[in-house]
Amino acid sequence: MRAEDAPMIRLEDYRPSDWLIDTVDLDILLDANRTRVRSLLKLRPNPQGRQGAPLVLDGDELALGSIALDDVPLAPTLYTSTPQSLTLPSPPDRAFSLRIETELNPAANTKLMGLYRSSGVYCTQCEADGFRRITYFLDRPDVMSVYTVRLEAVKAEAPVLLANGNLVASGELPGGERHFAVWHDPHPKPAYLFAIVGGRLDHIRQPYVTAEGRKVELAVYVEPGKAGRAGWALDSLVRCMRWDERVFGRNYDLDVFNVVAVSDFNMGAMENKGLNIFNDKYVLADPLTASDGDYISIEAIIAHEYFHNWTGNRITCRDWFQLCLKEGLTVFRDQEFSSDERSRPVKRISDVRTLRSTQFSEDAGPLAHPVRPRAYKEINNFYTPTVYEKGAEVIRMLKVLTGDDAFARGMDLYFERCDGTAATIEEFLDCFIETSGQDLTHFARWYEQAGTPTVVASGHYDAAAGSYTLELAQSTPPTPGQEEKAPVVIPVALGLVGKTGDLPLNSISPALKAGGVVVLDQPSLNLTFTGLSEAPTPSLLRGFSAPVRLELDLGDAELLRLFTADSDSFNRWQAFQTVATRALVRAGKSGNLSELAEKARELAAALADFLAGPAMADPAFAAQVLRLPSAADIAREIGKDVDPDAVFAAHRALSRAIGAALAEPLSALQVQLRQHGPYSPAAGPAGQRALRNEALGLLALALPVEASALAQARYAEADNLTDRLAALAAMTLIPGEAREALIGRFAELYADEPLVLDKWLMAQALIPEAGTLDRVKALMASPAFSLGNPNRVRALIGGFSANLTQFNRADGAGYGFIAGIVTELDRANPQVASRLLGAFKTWRMLEPGRRDLARSALRMVAATPGLSRDVSDIAARSLA
Ligand SMILES: [Zn+2]
């Protein structure tokens, strides 16, 4: 079905299911090409539904084998079945059972939705609507059922048989060739949380006792031979379980918790009840095959999926419009966990970088949508940075606005009241209305209104009166389908910084709340602070207290003062970034690089002081400071008629000048931060590596000859992937034979490590040179690449689409290349294809020549016959 023909599904059309399914008994005989699925459903009319309604079960590419009602085969006149549905026009007006048999071909399932095989392992992915590819069902999250699953397979092919819940029986079948396992999950759940796994897998396990005293067996399953790389994931699991007990009072509720890593996976990981299935990229780690960044991601994603057990599984979503109810909240929870495990300011900075690069750009383009969309054609296209990352920001603001205590009590109330239900955003917010006594009606607009608000701030100091007046004004630009915007509730955490630190905040304005938070809920507001004996510099949006753009009337000199004097680490980082951003935006717009030299001197001087002083106290933070805003960030800031080459040239010039001015201290860091002793992924040593490697990157631009020698030495002496990758990344900035030789050596070293070669593919796809497109095409033919594996596609093709100058080549060849891959890939895996097409989300901000070329490429995609709903939806919305 094409997107234009696909029905638009709307939030206001929601009504409860006419039928409920209390229990599901599945009997699955696993076979690569002919898997037989027998399902027994116990149905009853929903008291909230329409009486006497037909029963319409969902399907997707299914063929009905047999059907029986209350154990009697159903006459063909009493039902109709198509690949997409199974309908009983006049079912009994009472509880009854249905037996349904279907047959599947897991080996041919390239969409990786439903039941498929990945490197010989049977596995499932059912969110959002994959269960209907296994059997006919009421595949909607508000139909929650108790599942019992019997799996049977040839023992040699699938010695491990896993499903949700607890193992209740297992054994060999007569003859000894086949075996079975029966799993029962006592917790009612929606079908999207269903999962099974069957295959040859190694595992590691560890007993765990919850705070409530329940004994749980934790296990991580991986491909044979890789158990030695599963330890960090298991360790992360134990830490996040303890954290959830301590911070949110949440205990685990089954006898086992299994994590399984598979190599072909459309997403990062999936929170199936008691049986989380992961992209192996987010499980496997050892020092030589995983970078510091991988260790951090594994820890965060293990936590994220585990935390879903309460926010997503025990309390699920009433419908898919409420997706942010589980995702935004769970991202917030995993961010808090990582902040507690590591450095809170560094975590915040890295999250804000991601938010700006992925979500702000989405909000500014044709795919903008609210945190809770009101309509969709293809729900798989709404697993977006807006639902996840902005959704988490909304929870963070809720915490700031209601205060820590009312927020904690609100969460407790939510867990107590909504446990076992399929809930809505309204039910969630009601809990915080009760515990805080606040009216959150206005706040709820964050869920409904798309677009990134801009806050304009200006201030005036009256020396005679000892007062400072701050004016804040907000506006939100129009987004598709939402021309008129209303003010939102913006918590602005602030401080007034004087010569020797923070000044007292005295104001009678009711907008000023406890903890130095000003609530901007009108188009604008003024507030006056008194009792100030010196002119303050305002430090606004501390800790990035709201997902907005901030325009300040502060000069660069004042910002650099905040960089050294602000007590808020986030704003110290932000102040420096803002000065660099302003200079890059000016030069990127005008193409005039001469002004940059002066700015580079100022920035380098500030950095030199920083490196000589406080930087060493927190190297991870210092690494963030050294990393300038990306060229893509600058393009987004410019926002219209962007010439990517001019932006890139400005970025290069500033980086090079700063690198040259700081050559001495940056080189000194290479020696000073050299580590002795074995590799540890802990925050301390990882921070030192981050700073040392960030410095190497700047040197590569400023002093290529010296840096090339340093990078090659780094590569040769490294005992971990982080340093090897840093050397490779530095060398990609230095064209020449040495670079190509290192690229070759890296590939040889890691020939049998696809996950590491993904990084190698991406590093090359990101080279900002005219030859990169040809390089990428050549790499597609190499054994390291496969169009059938989502990780490979994201690394090489996704990497190229993130290459600002080469994806946006002036001749349009980058657009044509990506458009061609999207249409080819769409036939096998629509989800991965549509994600890739999202690379065009910023096309409207380009200068007219590139805009026309990008539009033509999008039109070419849109006009391709037989497109999936996923891709045609993105193409149509991008062009609308
Ligand atoms: Zn999630």
Side-chain angles (χ1 to χ4, degrees), residues 528-808:
T528 300
F529 298 92
T530 54
L532 297 164
S533 55
E534 60 174 305
T537 306
S539 166
L540 302 177
L541 220 61
R542 282 183 159 177
F544 201 65
S545 56
V548 301
R549 296 177 70 256
L550 178 64
E551 287 179 14
L552 287 161
D553 71 341
L554 292 184
D556 287 358
E558 284 166 293
L559 285 168
L560 290 176
R561 191 157 85 89
L562 286 180
F563 172 56
T564 52
D566 201 324
S567 62
D568 183 75
S569 298
F570 180 87
N571 268 7
R572 292 179 62 206
W573 169 82
Q574 181 62 62
F576 189 86
Q577 293 278 311
T578 303
V579 178
T581 300
R582 285 176 178 175
L584 288 169
V585 165
R586 275 194 305 273
K589 269 186 189 168
S590 67
N592 178 359
L593 304 183
S594 56
E595 252 186 72
L596 280 177
E598 174 58 29
K599 202 48 72 183
R601 270 192 294 278
E602 274 176 45
L603 289 167
L607 282 177
D609 288 346
F610 172 69
L611 290 172
M616 288 310 122
D618 187 353
F621 176 74
Q624 293 287 356
V625 170
L626 273 195
R627 189 181 308 163
L628 296 177
S630 73
D633 291 335
I634 301 308
R636 191 191 61 249
E637 280 295 315
I638 294 173
K640 64 174 191 199
D641 291 330
V642 171
D643 174 353
D645 291 327
V647 171
F648 177 77
H651 193 268
R652 257 304 144 88
L654 185 68
S655 308
R656 195 166 270 155
I658 290 177
L662 295 176
E664 208 176 305
L666 296 178
S667 301
L669 287 176
Q670 304 308 309
V671 183
Q672 200 181 335
L673 294 172
R674 188 170 170 185
Q675 290 174 351
H676 308 279
Y679 171 87
S680 155
Q688 293 181 353
R689 279 188 292 275
L691 177 56
R692 187 177 185 226
N693 290 330
E694 200 65 46
L696 178 63
L698 279 173
L699 287 172
L701 294 174
L703 303 172
V705 176
E706 292 83 342
S708 172
L710 276 174
Q712 291 178 72
R714 173 83 34 97
Y715 184 82
E717 74 183 21
D719 69 345
N720 63 80
L721 183 65
T722 305
D723 285 339
R724 281 185 188 153
L725 279 177
L728 179 69
M731 289 303 286
T732 62
L733 302 171
I734 309 170
E737 278 175 28
R739 169 172 86 186
E740 302 310 320
L742 189 73
I743 287 173
R745 288 210 301 283
F746 193 102
E748 272 171 40
L749 183 61
Y750 286 112
D752 300 324
E753 298 293 346
L755 292 173
V756 182
L757 286 182
D758 284 347
K759 298 173 195 307
W760 173 84
L761 291 169
M762 184 179 267
Q764 296 179 76
L766 288 171
I767 294 175
E769 293 169 16
T772 295
L773 180 55
D774 286 338
R775 187 190 286 266
V776 169
K777 287 177 178 167
L779 285 168
M780 285 182 71
S782 85
F785 184 78
S786 155
L787 202 56
N789 179 288
N791 285 349
R792 307 298 94 83
V793 172
R794 279 188 286 259
L796 184 63
I797 316 296
F800 178 78
S801 75
N803 185 327
L804 181 69
T805 56
Q806 301 313 301
F807 172 57
N808 295 298

Side-chain angles (χ1 to χ4, degrees), residues 308-513:
H308 268 314
N309 191 53
W310 275 93
T311 50
N313 300 3
R314 300 249 326 210
I315 307 177
T316 194
C317 303
R318 187 193 71 175
D319 51 68
W320 291 118
F321 296 101
Q322 322 294 329
L323 182 58
C324 63
L325 177 71
K326 75 178 180 80
E327 293 305 343
L329 179 55
T330 306
V331 170
F332 169 78
R333 275 153 53 70
D334 83 57
Q335 289 176 346
E336 286 298 294
F337 168 68
S338 296
S339 301
D340 284 349
E341 291 289 297
R342 292 166 180 271
S343 155
R344 184 165 284 268
V346 170
K347 173 65 180 159
R348 190 66 185 136
I349 289 166
S350 100
D351 287 342
V352 171
R353 278 190 201 274
T354 305
L355 182 79
R356 285 177 175 152
S357 67
T358 62
Q359 200 281 320
F360 280 21
S361 57
E362 183 165 84
D363 247 351
L367 300 180
H369 58 273
V371 170
R372 177 167 67 180
R374 297 197 73 84
Y376 63 78
K377 285 189 172 179
E378 175 51 68
I379 187 59
N380 287 322
N381 287 338
F382 283 87
Y383 286 74
T384 58
T386 297
V387 169
Y388 279 65
E389 270 73 34
K390 189 174 180 181
E393 293 299 319
V394 173
I395 305 290
R396 190 171 295 283
M397 288 189 287
L398 179 66
K399 182 167 187 273
V400 169
L401 288 166
T402 56
D404 289 354
D405 178 57
F407 180 79
R409 286 185 290 116
M411 285 301 304
D412 288 345
L413 184 58
Y414 175 62
F415 289 130
E416 186 191 317
R417 181 183 289 171
C418 297
D419 189 14
T421 72
T424 61
I425 293 297
E426 283 74 13
E427 289 171 280
F428 174 73
L429 287 178
D430 279 347
C431 297
F432 299 89
I433 292 170
E434 278 188 43
T435 57
S436 72
Q438 293 182 24
D439 179 355
L440 297 174
T441 318
H442 188 177
F443 176 77
R445 195 172 279 155
W446 278 107
Y447 286 102
E448 312 298 336
Q449 191 166 280
T452 306
T454 294
V455 172
V456 177
S458 55
H460 171 73
Y461 177 61
D462 182 337
S467 67
Y468 180 78
T469 302
L470 181 66
E471 182 175 344
L472 298 170
Q474 64 162 303
S475 61
T476 303
T479 53
Q482 281 186 343
E483 288 304 311
E484 299 296 324
K485 300 287 185 180
V488 286
V489 180
I490 301 177
V492 180
L494 60 77
L496 296 176
V497 180
K499 288 193 191 73
T500 57
D502 280 14
L503 302 168
L505 292 178
N506 300 316
S507 177
I508 53 163
S509 167
L512 180 66
K513 311 289 182 205

